[in-house]
């Protein structure tokens, strides 16, 4: 099933693992990887750091997410609430 506490689906998990590995290779360690409330929604987060560096890292991670998701035949959306009536990310 596709709910918050369910296991990650294999396609999403492969994509998230590749994103985390790519981030690690360039010095951006990620600390979490789990489902969110909406169907097909997932969350990852880098470790805490100082704002100027974190802003740069966040932009790099967002680019990597989009590129790697496309390679896996998936889409990576960063909009706070891209679909009416479905929970969004709120960019937290």
């Amino acid at each position: 099933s596709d709910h918050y506490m369910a296991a990650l689906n294999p396609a999403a998990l492969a994509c998230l693992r590749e994103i985390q590995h790519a981030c690690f290779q360039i010095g951006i360690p990620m600390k979490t990887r789990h489902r969110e409330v909406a169907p097909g929604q997932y969350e990852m987060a880098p470790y805490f750091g100082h704002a100027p560096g974190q802003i740069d890292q966040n932009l790099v991670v967002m680019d990597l997410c989009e590129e790697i998701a496309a390679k896996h035949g998936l889409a990576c959306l960063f909009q706070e609430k891209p679909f009416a009536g479905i929970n969004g990310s709120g960019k937290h």
Side-chain angles (χ1 to χ4, degrees), residues 8 12 15-21 23 30-36 42-46 58 61 64-65 76 78 92:
L8 280 68
C15 180
L16 292 172
R17 283 182 174 158
E18 186 173 342
I19 291 167
Q20 286 184 300
H21 182 71
C23 289
M30 305 299 277
K31 69 174 185 171
T32 187
R33 174 183 67 214
H34 62 82
R35 284 185 174 275
E36 275 294 336
Y42 299 89
E43 178 180 23
M44 294 186 309
N58 191 51
V61 170
L64 283 172
C65 288
C76 184
F78 292 107
H92 65 277

Side-chain angles (χ1 to χ4, degrees), residues 19 60-72 74 76:
I19 291 167
V60 170
V61 170
M62 290 171 73
D63 283 344
L64 283 172
C65 288
E66 290 174 337
E67 292 170 14
I68 294 171
K71 189 170 102 175
H72 284 262
L74 302 171
C76 184

Side-chain angles (χ1 to χ4, degrees), residues 1 5 10 12-14 22-24 27 30-31 37 39 45 50 52 54 58 61 67 80-81 83 87 90 92:
S1 66
M5 297 304 289
L13 180 57
C23 289
F24 179 77
M30 305 299 277
K31 69 174 185 171
V37 176
H50 296 288
Q54 290 302 114
N58 191 51
V61 170
E67 292 170 14
E80 287 82 357
K81 190 163 176 61
F83 306 107
N87 287 338
H92 65 277

